[in-house]
Amino acid sequence: VRQLFTHVLDIFGKPNKKFFDTLSLFAKDEKEKAVLESIAANSDEGKAVYRDLVHDFAHHADVLQKFCSARPPIEHIINMIPTLKPRSYSIASSPLMHPDMIQLCVVLVDWEVESTKEFRIGEATGYMKQQGPGAQLMCAVRPSAIVLPKDPQNPVLMAGMGTGLAPWRAVTQERVMQKRQGKDVGPCVLFFGARFAKYEYLYREEFESYVSEGVLEIHTAFSRDQARKVYVQHKIVEAGATVAKYLLTQNGHFYVCGSARKVPEDIYAAMKAVIMAAEACAEEDAEAALSNMKMEGRY
């Protein structure tokens, strides 16, 4: 049973409405039963309760504790709670530089439950943090969704925020090793954004060494290090002439990786501005150029 709840069922995952509906069937307390049914029915009262639970990032275990009169048998729990899903992380190292290992760049997910002030950590990242050197974990390697230019002389431009830097470290290491092997490599440009340089400039010394080797050009944006917030999209516009030259005249490839939902939109707007300035064209022409790059697998 312990293995079932630690390795199989997503007991700390977010419950869906069907979970509340099924749980109501086992509630012995009439008030708890009514609340569970109101959540499942999406009534005004139920919406308010559900909103509070979501605000506190409540998981299946929280709900079972909150509605303690509802105690489904284990055979029902198995069907009520989904199984744990694999977590995917971008590989942060190149097989050319590290042929016998895979390196990841992972930030520990943590938060405080507002209503109880309880400190919590993410399930997957918390599990990894608990492991010591030499620990064996179940994992699988999947083919990358990132397709690099076939010609290593084609420019590569990358934008990464936070741990979205991971795949670009791997790409940069690949270019560094190609150069060390005597191959001609094209420009490698990285736009990296985070909040504070002091705490979040990941792999700083390593990247600076690649700059010294003449492989990498890096533009950083640390939004909280000055009064005016500076983001990656601002740095892309500042380097607009270089970006446009590499993309429009040298068959360059542009990649974006980051967790914030709005980031791709802001980057896209910056790229439009860059093309409009470089080509002295209208917005729809810039959009058409980016659309063509997408179809060619270059954006």
Side-chain angles (χ1 to χ4, degrees), residues 4-5 9 26 71-81:
L4 179 67
F5 284 98
L9 298 180
F26 299 95
R71 286 293 176 262
I74 189 72
E75 59 267 25
H76 287 279
I77 286 285
I78 291 173
N79 292 320
M80 291 169 63
I81 299 176

Side-chain angles (χ1 to χ4, degrees), residues 225-247:
D225 278 352
Q226 60 284 310
R228 174 180 171 269
K229 292 181 180 178
V230 178
Y231 296 107
V232 163
Q233 58 267 27
H234 300 137
K235 293 296 180 178
I236 290 173
V237 172
E238 285 180 14
T242 299
V243 172
K245 179 179 71 173
Y246 289 157
L247 288 178

Side-chain angles (χ1 to χ4, degrees), residues 18 34 38 54 73 76 101-102 104-105 137 147 188 204 216-217 224 236 254 280:
K18 184 169 177 55
S38 70
V54 169
H76 287 279
M101 69 171 64
I102 288 175
L104 303 179
C105 178
L137 310 180
V147 180
C188 190
R204 180 173 187 164
L216 180 66
E217 176 184 332
R224 302 299 191 272
I236 290 173
F254 188 91

